[in-house]
């Protein structure tokens, strides 16, 4: 059988186009010369008519190159295989030599394993093995195929686990960088306090040495994040903080919206639902703050904008100064 037809190269269009144009020009010229003996007017228009015919022929051959190549391919294969069969019938074929239609590599013929797809090669090999086993009287055993999906699933799990470990490592680096920044701020305060004190030169030198050590550790962390994970640790740290602040602020404003609804008065069933949602959001805020304090050593509430407490808003309404 034929495999997928290979695409015709644009080179064939570039070759057949000019050839078609030349042939059409010469044919048009010859016909106009014949007709011109009876119709002198046409004889005077020989050049433009011949050029028009040449251009049309060139365009047709260029755009019909795939169809023309398909016809040439089919005719060539038919001639080659017919001649091979006739020679084999007349003089015989050497032992072990396969017919031309099986070994041909002409124009994408898939009889040969050299041009067949890997799936077709494997299928052909299995079919040949099955036929040999049947000829020998051995019942072929079906092959197990459950291993491939299991392998693919295992690879997906490993990849997901690797991504999770990578994120954990990056978050640890962010936490470590924030911890070092906190130590750095505390040491700078101490340095400012002892800078003007008497007999504090040795202590000042010691604290400055600690500051240099912290700076080196920060640089090592940033370089490791850049080389291992192609991540800017400073930007990632800022992103983590901004996302945490935005989440906490969003929870607070959501509570204010629910509190305003309660303040305006609702039915008893609706009031119970709103109060339950407010308590749930309180728990979500606490979990978020504990997570940031545990992972980054930060009090997230100190980094957010002050917002009216929802319990106060339920009793007195949202303050007009809220922005």
């Amino acid at each position: 059988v034929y495999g997928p037809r290979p695409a015709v190269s644009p080179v064939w269009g570039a070759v057949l186009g000019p050839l078609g144009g030349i042939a059409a020009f010469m044919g048009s010229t010859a016909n106009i010369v014949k007709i011109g003996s009876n119709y002198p007017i046409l004889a005077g228009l020989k050049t433009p008519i011949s050029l028009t015919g040449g251009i049309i022929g060139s365009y047709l051959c260029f755009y019909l190159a795939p169809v023309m190549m398909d016809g040439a391919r089919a005719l060539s294969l038919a001639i080659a295989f017919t001649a091979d069969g006739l020679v084999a019938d007349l003089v015989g074929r050497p032992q072990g030599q396969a017919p031309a239609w099986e070994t041909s590599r002409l124009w994408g013929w898939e009889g040969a394993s050299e041009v067949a797809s890997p799936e077709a090669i494997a299928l052909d090999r299995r079919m040949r093995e099955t036929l040999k086993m049947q000829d020998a009287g051995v019942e072929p055993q079906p092959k197990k195929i459950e291993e491939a999906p299991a392998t693919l699933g295992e690879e997906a799990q490993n990849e997901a686990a690797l991504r999770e470990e990578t994120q954990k490592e990056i978050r640890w680096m962010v936490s470590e960088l924030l911890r070092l920044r906190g130590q750095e701020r505390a040491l700078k305060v101490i340095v400012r306090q002892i800078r003007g004190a008497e007999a504090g030169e040795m202590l000042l030198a010691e604290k400055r040495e600690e500051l240099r050590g912290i700076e080196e550790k920060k640089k090592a962390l940033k370089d490791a994040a850049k080389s291992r994970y192609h991540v800017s640790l400073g930007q990632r740290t800022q992103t983590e903080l901004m996302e945490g602040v935005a989440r906490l602020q969003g929870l607070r404003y959501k509570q204010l919206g629910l509190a305003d609804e309660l303040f305006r008065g609702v039915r008893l069933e609706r009031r119970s639902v709103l109060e339950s949602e407010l308590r749930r959001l309180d728990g979500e805020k606490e979990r978020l703050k504990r997570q940031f304090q545990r992972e980054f050593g930060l009090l997230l509430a100190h980094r957010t904008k002050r917002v009216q407490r929802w319990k106060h808003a339920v009793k007195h309404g949202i303050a007009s100064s809220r922005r």
Side-chain angles (χ1 to χ4, degrees):
V1 295
Y2 279 97
R5 179 178 64 82
V8 176
S9 172
V11 176
W12 286 110
V15 172
L16 295 177
L19 291 178
I22 294 173
F25 178 83
M26 295 177 64
S28 300
T29 301
N31 287 326
I32 290 298
V33 169
K34 290 181 181 179
I35 298 173
S37 58
N38 297 325
Y39 301 97
I41 296 178
L42 292 177
L45 298 175
K46 180 183 68 173
T47 300
I49 292 176
S50 299
L51 287 175
T52 302
I55 293 172
I56 294 174
S58 178
Y59 267 92
L60 285 175
C61 290
F62 179 80
Y63 286 109
L64 293 177
V67 178
M68 297 168 67
M69 290 300 299
D70 281 343
R73 180 185 299 116
L75 182 59
S76 300
L77 289 173
I79 294 173
F81 298 158
T82 301
D84 178 77
L86 288 174
V87 171
D89 291 339
L90 293 175
V91 300
R93 193 185 304 278
Q95 185 176 4
Q97 181 180 357
W101 64 271
E102 289 186 359
T103 59
S104 175
R105 300 179 63 182
L106 294 174
W107 302 296
W109 183 265
E110 288 193 346
S113 61
E114 290 84 357
V115 295
S117 65
E119 293 82 0
I121 295 172
L123 178 61
D124 181 73
R125 185 181 298 114
R126 287 197 299 270
M127 291 177 63
R128 291 178 184 272
E129 290 175 356
T130 301
L131 290 175
K132 289 180 180 179
M133 294 175 69
Q134 289 177 347
D135 291 340
V138 180
E139 186 68 22
Q141 297 294 327
K143 294 184 179 293
K144 296 182 179 180
I145 59 174
E146 294 83 11
E147 298 177 1
T151 303
L152 292 176
E154 194 175 16
E155 290 180 358
Q157 291 178 359
N158 293 338
E159 187 175 351
L162 180 61
R163 285 198 300 269
E164 184 177 355
E165 287 298 323
T166 300
Q167 292 304 316
K168 286 183 179 179
E169 180 73 11
I170 293 175
R171 289 180 69 85
W172 176 84
M173 288 182 170
V174 170
S175 173
E176 190 67 11
L177 179 62
L178 289 171
R179 186 184 66 81
L180 291 172
R181 285 179 177 177
Q183 292 181 356
E184 187 179 37
R185 285 193 297 270
L187 280 174
K188 286 181 178 179
V189 172
I190 295 174
V191 167
R192 284 197 298 268
Q193 290 176 350
I194 65 177
R195 185 175 295 167
E198 296 181 1
E201 291 299 326
M202 292 183 60
L203 182 59
L204 185 62
E206 180 182 342
K207 297 302 178 184
R208 284 176 174 171
E209 186 64 27
E210 290 182 18
L211 281 174
R212 281 193 291 271
I214 290 176
E215 190 65 32
E216 290 175 0
K217 291 179 181 178
K218 286 167 51 181
K219 184 177 184 303
L221 268 178
K222 294 178 180 179
D223 292 343
K226 194 72 172 178
S227 61
R228 292 182 196 172
Y229 309 117
H230 306 286
V231 171
S232 173
L233 198 57
Q235 293 180 0
R236 182 62 180 264
T237 302
Q238 187 67 18
T239 301
E240 291 281 354
L241 292 176
M242 291 175 63
E243 288 179 354
V245 168
R247 284 175 59 192
L248 182 58
Q249 202 78 353
L251 292 172
R252 287 177 172 176
Y253 282 131
K254 187 175 181 180
Q255 285 184 311
L256 277 181
L258 298 177
D260 183 62
E261 189 175 350
L262 281 174
F263 174 76
R264 296 175 185 276
V266 293
R267 293 182 178 180
L268 184 60
E269 300 83 4
R270 176 62 177 166
R271 184 179 186 87
S272 177
V273 173
L274 292 177
E275 289 176 346
S276 176
E277 179 65 12
L278 284 167
R279 288 192 293 271
R280 188 192 68 80
L281 292 174
D282 268 340
E284 191 171 344
K285 290 192 306 182
E286 288 302 317
R287 286 191 296 272
L288 179 62
K289 288 188 283 189
R290 284 198 299 268
Q291 175 190 348
F292 262 74
Q293 189 169 6
R294 181 179 65 254
E295 293 185 1
F296 306 127
L298 295 176
L299 296 176
L300 191 60
H302 292 179
R303 295 176 174 266
T304 56
K305 181 181 177 181
R306 294 179 61 87
V307 175
Q308 182 183 6
R309 295 181 180 274
W310 67 266
K311 292 181 180 179
H312 184 273
V314 169
K315 294 180 180 179
H316 307 287
I318 297 179
S320 59
S321 60
R322 173 192 166 193
R323 296 179 183 176

